[in-house]
């Protein structure tokens, strides 16, 4: 594993994830998802840390072996990861509910795939530039 690619790709991926999340969920889908009962204001530090963790997770996966350094390969791999992660997260978030809002789940899965594809492309592009 190329440690330099892992760290730089993780930072780039985390920042891109934060900005894309702000655009997609913070602006475009702001009124689509209801806040849980009793929820206070969003904690931007925790959102940023979560985005950085996601960026480093993708960067770790991409840095294995020869590494993912082509942006299209990054998109494809990130789409696969995002599909299953977002489905799993939505199932876990729905565990206390009697039913699941399939429309909201579908919107969230598609949004997660779009954001993750951009993050994956950014990490792979960064890896390619550092070769």
């Amino acid at each position: 594993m190329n440690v330099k690619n892992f760290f730089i790709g993780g930072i780039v991926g985390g920042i891109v994830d934060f900005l894309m999340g702000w655009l997609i969920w913070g602006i475009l889908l702001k009124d689509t998802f209801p806040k849980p009962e009793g929820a206070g204001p969003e904690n931007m530090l925790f959102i940023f840390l979560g985005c950085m963790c996601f960026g480093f997770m993708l960067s770790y996966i991409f840095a294995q072996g020869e590494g993912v350094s082509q942006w299209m390969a990054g998109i494809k791999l990130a789409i696969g990861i995002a599909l299953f992660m977002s489905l799993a997260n939505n199932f876990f978030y729905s565990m206390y509910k009697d039913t699941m809002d399939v429309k909201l789940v579908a919107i969230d899965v598609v949004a997660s795939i779009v954001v993750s594809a951009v993050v994956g492309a950014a990490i792979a592009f960064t890896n390619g530039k550092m070769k």
Side-chain angles (χ1 to χ4, degrees), residues 54 58 71 74-76 78-79 82 111-123:
F54 184 73
L58 280 186
W71 63 271
I75 289 173
K76 290 177 183 177
I79 286 173
S112 296
I113 287 172
V114 169
V115 169
S116 297
V118 174
V119 172
I123 294 170

mmCIF file of all heavy atoms in Angstrom, residues 54 58 71 74-76 78-79 82 111-123:
data_model
loop_
_atom_site.group_PDB
_atom_site.id
_atom_site.type_symbol
_atom_site.label_atom_id
_atom_site.label_comp_id
_atom_site.label_asym_id
_atom_site.label_seq_id
_atom_site.Cartn_x
_atom_site.Cartn_y
_atom_site.Cartn_z
ATOM 1 N N PHE A 54 -15.128 8.563 5.732
ATOM 2 C CA PHE A 54 -15.526 7.957 4.462
ATOM 3 C C PHE A 54 -14.436 8.141 3.414
ATOM 4 O O PHE A 54 -14.103 7.207 2.678
ATOM 5 C CB PHE A 54 -16.856 8.539 3.964
ATOM 6 C CG PHE A 54 -17.342 7.882 2.711
ATOM 7 C CD1 PHE A 54 -17.859 6.595 2.740
ATOM 8 C CD2 PHE A 54 -17.274 8.533 1.497
ATOM 9 C CE1 PHE A 54 -18.299 5.968 1.583
ATOM 10 C CE2 PHE A 54 -17.715 7.922 0.333
ATOM 11 C CZ PHE A 54 -18.229 6.635 0.375
ATOM 12 N N LEU A 58 -12.467 4.968 1.585
ATOM 13 C CA LEU A 58 -12.316 4.751 0.147
ATOM 14 C C LEU A 58 -10.847 4.799 -0.254
ATOM 15 O O LEU A 58 -10.393 3.985 -1.063
ATOM 16 C CB LEU A 58 -13.103 5.798 -0.644
ATOM 17 C CG LEU A 58 -14.595 5.585 -0.810
ATOM 18 C CD1 LEU A 58 -15.180 6.641 -1.740
ATOM 19 C CD2 LEU A 58 -14.929 4.206 -1.331
ATOM 20 N N TRP A 71 -9.711 7.572 -12.916
ATOM 21 C CA TRP A 71 -10.934 8.134 -12.339
ATOM 22 C C TRP A 71 -12.151 7.274 -12.636
ATOM 23 O O TRP A 71 -13.036 7.149 -11.807
ATOM 24 C CB TRP A 71 -11.133 9.581 -12.777
ATOM 25 C CG TRP A 71 -11.332 9.790 -14.252
ATOM 26 C CD1 TRP A 71 -10.363 9.991 -15.187
ATOM 27 C CD2 TRP A 71 -12.572 9.819 -14.952
ATOM 28 N NE1 TRP A 71 -10.925 10.138 -16.431
ATOM 29 C CE2 TRP A 71 -12.290 10.042 -16.315
ATOM 30 C CE3 TRP A 71 -13.900 9.676 -14.563
ATOM 31 C CZ2 TRP A 71 -13.276 10.117 -17.290
ATOM 32 C CZ3 TRP A 71 -14.877 9.756 -15.531
ATOM 33 C CH2 TRP A 71 -14.566 9.971 -16.872
ATOM 34 N N GLY A 74 -12.218 4.475 -10.242
ATOM 35 C CA GLY A 74 -12.627 5.001 -8.940
ATOM 36 C C GLY A 74 -14.126 5.169 -8.842
ATOM 37 O O GLY A 74 -14.737 4.864 -7.821
ATOM 38 N N ILE A 75 -14.735 5.653 -9.924
ATOM 39 C CA ILE A 75 -16.195 5.812 -9.951
ATOM 40 C C ILE A 75 -16.881 4.464 -9.805
ATOM 41 O O ILE A 75 -17.785 4.287 -8.986
ATOM 42 C CB ILE A 75 -16.641 6.522 -11.244
ATOM 43 C CG1 ILE A 75 -16.235 7.991 -11.211
ATOM 44 C CG2 ILE A 75 -18.149 6.382 -11.458
ATOM 45 C CD1 ILE A 75 -16.474 8.735 -12.518
ATOM 46 N N LYS A 76 -16.441 3.488 -10.585
ATOM 47 C CA LYS A 76 -17.075 2.160 -10.560
ATOM 48 C C LYS A 76 -16.966 1.499 -9.192
ATOM 49 O O LYS A 76 -17.950 0.952 -8.676
ATOM 50 C CB LYS A 76 -16.455 1.263 -11.630
ATOM 51 C CG LYS A 76 -16.812 1.660 -13.041
ATOM 52 C CD LYS A 76 -16.108 0.771 -14.039
ATOM 53 C CE LYS A 76 -16.410 1.202 -15.460
ATOM 54 N NZ LYS A 76 -15.682 0.380 -16.447
ATOM 55 N N ALA A 78 -16.404 2.982 -6.273
ATOM 56 C CA ALA A 78 -17.151 3.771 -5.282
ATOM 57 C C ALA A 78 -18.656 3.530 -5.407
ATOM 58 O O ALA A 78 -19.359 3.507 -4.396
ATOM 59 C CB ALA A 78 -16.837 5.247 -5.442
ATOM 60 N N ILE A 79 -19.161 3.357 -6.611
ATOM 61 C CA ILE A 79 -20.596 3.081 -6.799
ATOM 62 C C ILE A 79 -20.976 1.770 -6.115
ATOM 63 O O ILE A 79 -21.993 1.692 -5.419
ATOM 64 C CB ILE A 79 -20.963 3.076 -8.293
ATOM 65 C CG1 ILE A 79 -20.988 4.508 -8.827
ATOM 66 C CG2 ILE A 79 -22.307 2.391 -8.528
ATOM 67 C CD1 ILE A 79 -21.171 4.606 -10.334
ATOM 68 N N ALA A 82 -20.861 2.322 -2.342
ATOM 69 C CA ALA A 82 -21.953 3.200 -1.892
ATOM 70 C C ALA A 82 -23.303 2.506 -1.938
ATOM 71 O O ALA A 82 -24.135 2.723 -1.051
ATOM 72 C CB ALA A 82 -21.993 4.458 -2.751
ATOM 73 N N ALA A 111 -28.612 9.406 -4.082
ATOM 74 C CA ALA A 111 -27.766 10.530 -3.667
ATOM 75 C C ALA A 111 -26.417 10.027 -3.157
ATOM 76 O O ALA A 111 -25.369 10.608 -3.479
ATOM 77 C CB ALA A 111 -28.470 11.360 -2.591
ATOM 78 N N SER A 112 -26.429 8.961 -2.391
ATOM 79 C CA SER A 112 -25.176 8.389 -1.872
ATOM 80 C C SER A 112 -24.286 7.892 -3.006
ATOM 81 O O SER A 112 -23.055 8.067 -2.963
ATOM 82 C CB SER A 112 -25.473 7.229 -0.919
ATOM 83 O OG SER A 112 -26.160 7.684 0.215
ATOM 84 N N ILE A 113 -24.888 7.283 -4.001
ATOM 85 C CA ILE A 113 -24.125 6.786 -5.140
ATOM 86 C C ILE A 113 -23.495 7.948 -5.906
ATOM 87 O O ILE A 113 -22.319 7.895 -6.289
ATOM 88 C CB ILE A 113 -25.010 5.912 -6.049
ATOM 89 C CG1 ILE A 113 -25.286 4.567 -5.362
ATOM 90 C CG2 ILE A 113 -24.376 5.717 -7.418
ATOM 91 C CD1 ILE A 113 -26.305 3.699 -6.063
ATOM 92 N N VAL A 114 -24.254 9.014 -6.121
ATOM 93 C CA VAL A 114 -23.730 10.175 -6.855
ATOM 94 C C VAL A 114 -22.561 10.802 -6.092
ATOM 95 O O VAL A 114 -21.491 11.062 -6.655
ATOM 96 C CB VAL A 114 -24.850 11.212 -7.107
ATOM 97 C CG1 VAL A 114 -24.278 12.525 -7.611
ATOM 98 C CG2 VAL A 114 -25.874 10.666 -8.086
ATOM 99 N N VAL A 115 -22.758 11.040 -4.799
ATOM 100 C CA VAL A 115 -21.697 11.653 -3.993
ATOM 101 C C VAL A 115 -20.469 10.745 -3.963
ATOM 102 O O VAL A 115 -19.333 11.200 -4.164
ATOM 103 C CB VAL A 115 -22.198 11.951 -2.560
ATOM 104 C CG1 VAL A 115 -21.049 12.333 -1.646
ATOM 105 C CG2 VAL A 115 -23.245 13.054 -2.595
ATOM 106 N N SER A 116 -20.675 9.469 -3.737
ATOM 107 C CA SER A 116 -19.556 8.536 -3.647
ATOM 108 C C SER A 116 -18.812 8.403 -4.972
ATOM 109 O O SER A 116 -17.586 8.245 -4.981
ATOM 110 C CB SER A 116 -20.048 7.167 -3.186
ATOM 111 O OG SER A 116 -20.594 7.264 -1.896
ATOM 112 N N ALA A 117 -19.535 8.462 -6.074
ATOM 113 C CA ALA A 117 -18.880 8.391 -7.385
ATOM 114 C C ALA A 117 -17.940 9.573 -7.580
ATOM 115 O O ALA A 117 -16.809 9.416 -8.074
ATOM 116 C CB ALA A 117 -19.925 8.345 -8.498
ATOM 117 N N VAL A 118 -18.369 10.756 -7.175
ATOM 118 C CA VAL A 118 -17.515 11.944 -7.292
ATOM 119 C C VAL A 118 -16.312 11.820 -6.350
ATOM 120 O O VAL A 118 -15.176 12.133 -6.736
ATOM 121 C CB VAL A 118 -18.320 13.236 -7.019
ATOM 122 C CG1 VAL A 118 -17.409 14.452 -6.999
ATOM 123 C CG2 VAL A 118 -19.411 13.408 -8.060
ATOM 124 N N VAL A 119 -16.538 11.345 -5.136
ATOM 125 C CA VAL A 119 -15.442 11.152 -4.185
ATOM 126 C C VAL A 119 -14.453 10.113 -4.723
ATOM 127 O O VAL A 119 -13.232 10.313 -4.682
ATOM 128 C CB VAL A 119 -15.973 10.738 -2.790
ATOM 129 C CG1 VAL A 119 -14.840 10.358 -1.854
ATOM 130 C CG2 VAL A 119 -16.810 11.846 -2.186
ATOM 131 N N GLY A 120 -14.977 9.011 -5.251
ATOM 132 C CA GLY A 120 -14.118 7.973 -5.818
ATOM 133 C C GLY A 120 -13.297 8.485 -6.986
ATOM 134 O O GLY A 120 -12.101 8.174 -7.111
ATOM 135 N N ALA A 121 -13.914 9.281 -7.848
ATOM 136 C CA ALA A 121 -13.189 9.861 -8.978
ATOM 137 C C ALA A 121 -12.086 10.796 -8.482
ATOM 138 O O ALA A 121 -10.971 10.791 -9.012
ATOM 139 C CB ALA A 121 -14.149 10.605 -9.896
ATOM 140 N N ALA A 122 -12.380 11.591 -7.463
ATOM 141 C CA ALA A 122 -11.392 12.538 -6.928
ATOM 142 C C ALA A 122 -10.200 11.806 -6.316
ATOM 143 O O ALA A 122 -9.044 12.195 -6.531
ATOM 144 C CB ALA A 122 -12.042 13.457 -5.894
ATOM 145 N N ILE A 123 -10.475 10.749 -5.565
ATOM 146 C CA ILE A 123 -9.380 9.985 -4.950
ATOM 147 C C ILE A 123 -8.543 9.306 -6.023
ATOM 148 O O ILE A 123 -7.303 9.352 -5.992
ATOM 149 C CB ILE A 123 -9.926 8.973 -3.925
ATOM 150 C CG1 ILE A 123 -10.552 9.701 -2.737
ATOM 151 C CG2 ILE A 123 -8.814 8.031 -3.454
ATOM 152 C CD1 ILE A 123 -11.318 8.776 -1.795
#
